[in-house]
């Protein structure tokens, strides 16, 4: 009995078999377990083992211990490996199109041909991690207290459930939904998603905006880096024009008064009489006469002292003469 006929017959057996859940990530390795216990301790030389997908395409065949690549479909060629210790088939370089149901069949090769002894079905799901959501400002400043921005995330699978914005202030957090736009690559089948929103921004409060991507089926949340917007300083009311004119006039008056005072003081200093040459000569003559008077007094004082000395000497001489007689 050929392998193809065996596959058709095994479909009926699998209708009541339990199905395992298996998960793999894009471009990585997925596992398709058989859960065969080999309670009879059969050798591989006695067994025929193979896996097929939901379209009955063969992924791998091991016939009595020997691999049979000629029975493997081209889309799986070189992408599988069999772990004999765990009876598990590994599917390498998993793609999105690999998701689906797989079946493992194990037959015993006996004297009377192939006898089915085990079968197992596995449901393989494929995931691809979306990139971290990224916020982009469409304008560098807010207009009328409203800011426009976008958020995007790329290269993920499956299609996410939703994407939205969280606007955080000091006292509150508000959620802003938007229509999520998505596109899917025809080859990889990966999704790119984005939203565009206009958010009201209170100008007097610091604001932090975060983009959130909610994934399926795990409900995992991916958060962007926060986009922080600082509060605007309070706007001072403009000064009325008449006050500016009054201030300018006062400054002009002060400057003019200062200049007039300065000029007046300069003129007064120029009009005050200074010492003339005649006055200087007079002072010099008076100073010279004073010095001459002082010199006469000194000469006169010396003359008086000399006269006094002569009188003293004469008196002494007269006294000596009287004594002699």
């Amino acid at each position: 009995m050929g392998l193809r006929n065996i596959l058709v017959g095994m479909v009926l057996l699998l209708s009541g078999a339990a199905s395992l859940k298996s998960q793999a990530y894009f471009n990585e390795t997925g596992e398709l377990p058989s859960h065969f216990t080999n309670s009879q301790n059969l050798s591989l030389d006695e067994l025929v083992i193979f896996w097929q997908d939901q379209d009955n395409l063969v992924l791998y065949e091991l016939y009595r211990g020997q691999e049979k690549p000629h029975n493997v479909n081209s889309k799986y060629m070189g992408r599988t490996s069999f772990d004999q210790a765990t009876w598990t088939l590994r599917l390498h370089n998993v793609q999105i199109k690999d998701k689906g149901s797989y079946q493992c069949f194990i037959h015993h090769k006996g004297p009377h041909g192939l006898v089915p002894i085990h079968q197992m079905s596995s449901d393989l799901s494929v995931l691809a991690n979306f990139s971290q959501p990224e916020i982009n400002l469409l304008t560098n400043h807010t207009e009328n207290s409203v800011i426009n921005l976008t958020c995007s995330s790329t290269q993920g699978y499956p299609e996410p459930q939703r994407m939205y914005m969280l606007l955080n202030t000091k006292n509150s957090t508000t959620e802003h939904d938007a229509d999520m736009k998505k596109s899917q690559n025809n080859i990889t089948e990966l999704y790119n998603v984005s939203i565009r929103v206009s958010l009201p921004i209170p100008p007097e409060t610091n604001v932090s905006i975060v983009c959130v991507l909610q994934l399926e089926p795990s409900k995992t949340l991916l958060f962007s880096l926060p986009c922080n917007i600082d509060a605007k300083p309070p706007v001072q009311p403009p000064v009325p024009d008449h006050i500016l004119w009054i201030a300018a006039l006062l400054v002009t008056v002060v400057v003019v008064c200062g200049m007039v005072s300065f000029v007046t003081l300069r003129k007064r200093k120029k009009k005050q009489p200074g010492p003339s040459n005649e006055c200087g000569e007079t002072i010099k003559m008076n100073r010279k006469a004073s010095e001459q008077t002082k010199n006469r007094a000194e000469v006169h004082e010396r003359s008086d002292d000399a006269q006094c000395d002569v009188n003293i000497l004469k008196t002494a001489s007269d006294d000596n003469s009287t004594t002699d007689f």
Side-chain angles (χ1 to χ4, degrees):
M1 185 167 55
L3 178 60
R4 184 173 297 277
N5 293 331
I6 294 174
L7 294 178
V8 174
M10 290 302 296
V11 172
L12 299 177
L13 295 176
L14 287 172
S15 59
S19 180
L20 298 175
K21 302 296 182 182
S22 183
Q23 189 178 86
Y25 282 91
F26 182 75
N27 279 341
E28 297 185 10
T29 298
E31 293 187 348
L32 303 174
S34 67
H35 283 203
F36 179 57
T37 59
N38 193 18
S39 58
Q40 300 179 19
N41 197 25
L42 300 173
S43 70
L44 292 177
D45 293 338
E46 303 176 71
L47 300 176
V48 176
I49 306 170
F50 60 90
W51 273 264
Q52 68 178 21
D53 63 14
Q54 57 195 359
D55 298 322
N56 297 328
L57 301 178
V58 176
L59 286 74
Y60 178 83
E61 180 184 352
L62 188 68
Y63 185 83
R64 304 184 69 177
Q66 298 294 322
E67 292 184 349
K68 296 292 184 180
H70 62 274
N71 287 331
V72 175
N73 186 270
S74 59
K75 68 181 289 188
Y76 298 112
M77 190 70 67
R79 296 177 56 206
T80 59
S81 60
F82 177 60
D83 186 349
Q84 298 180 15
T86 61
W87 300 85
T88 298
L89 183 69
R90 292 191 174 93
L91 179 62
H92 306 291
N93 191 27
V94 172
Q95 302 297 299
I96 302 300
K97 55 177 60 73
D98 291 329
K99 61 184 176 64
S101 179
Y102 295 86
Q103 296 83 36
C104 170
F105 301 97
I106 300 179
H107 295 77
H108 180 244
K109 178 67 173 177
H112 304 289
L114 295 176
V115 178
I117 60 175
H118 181 79
Q119 67 278 337
M120 179 58 65
S121 177
S122 299
D123 289 331
L124 179 65
S125 61
V126 181
L127 303 176
N129 291 324
F130 278 90
S131 64
Q132 183 180 22
E134 182 178 354
I135 294 177
N136 290 306
L137 294 176
L138 298 181
T139 54
N140 293 328
H141 62 280
T142 59
E143 297 180 0
N144 300 322
S145 299
V146 174
I147 190 169
N148 299 310
L149 44 82
T150 63
C151 180
S152 60
S153 181
T154 60
Q155 302 293 297
Y157 191 90
E159 179 183 344
Q161 182 178 0
R162 61 191 290 240
M163 179 180 264
Y164 57 94
M165 296 285 189
L166 291 178
L167 192 149
N168 302 305
T169 64
K170 183 178 180 181
N171 300 320
S172 66
T173 297
T174 55
E175 187 175 301
H176 297 266
D177 278 310
D179 181 25
M180 183 176 65
K181 298 184 182 301
K182 60 182 182 294
S183 61
Q184 188 175 24
N185 187 284
N186 293 330
I187 298 175
T188 64
E189 299 185 21
L190 299 178
Y191 284 98
N192 296 334
V193 295
S194 64
I195 59 174
R196 175 172 177 166
V197 294
S198 297
L199 299 179
I201 304 298
E204 70 282 356
T205 305
N206 292 333
V207 171
S208 178
I209 302 172
V210 177
C211 180
V212 184
L213 180 64
Q214 184 173 336
L215 304 178
E216 287 284 4
S218 61
K219 309 299 182 183
T220 303
L221 300 180
L222 292 182
F223 295 89
S224 71
L225 295 175
C227 175
N228 298 317
I229 301 176
D230 297 330
K232 292 183 177 181
V235 179
Q236 298 293 336
V239 180
D241 292 341
H242 68 277
I243 294 179
L244 294 176
W245 281 107
I246 293 174
L249 181 60
L250 291 175
V251 170
T252 304
V253 170
V254 170
V255 171
V256 171
C257 291
M259 294 178 64
V260 171
S261 300
F262 177 76
V263 173
T264 302
L265 290 175
R266 290 289 300 272
K267 289 182 178 180
R268 288 180 179 178
K269 288 182 179 180
K270 289 182 179 181
K271 290 181 178 181
Q272 290 180 354
S276 60
N277 294 334
E278 181 180 354
C279 181
E281 293 295 331
T282 304
I283 292 174
K284 290 181 180 179
M285 292 177 64
N286 292 337
R287 188 176 297 167
K288 186 175 181 180
S290 177
E291 290 177 356
Q292 290 177 356
T293 303
K294 184 177 180 180
N295 292 335
R296 289 195 193 98
E298 291 177 354
V299 171
H300 183 71
E301 184 178 354
R302 292 194 193 102
S303 177
D304 290 343
D305 291 342
Q307 185 65 39
C308 181
D309 292 339
V310 171
N311 292 335
I312 292 172
L313 290 175
K314 184 177 180 180
T315 303
S317 176
D318 292 340
D319 290 342
N320 291 333
S321 299
T322 306
T323 303
D324 291 339
F325 284 107

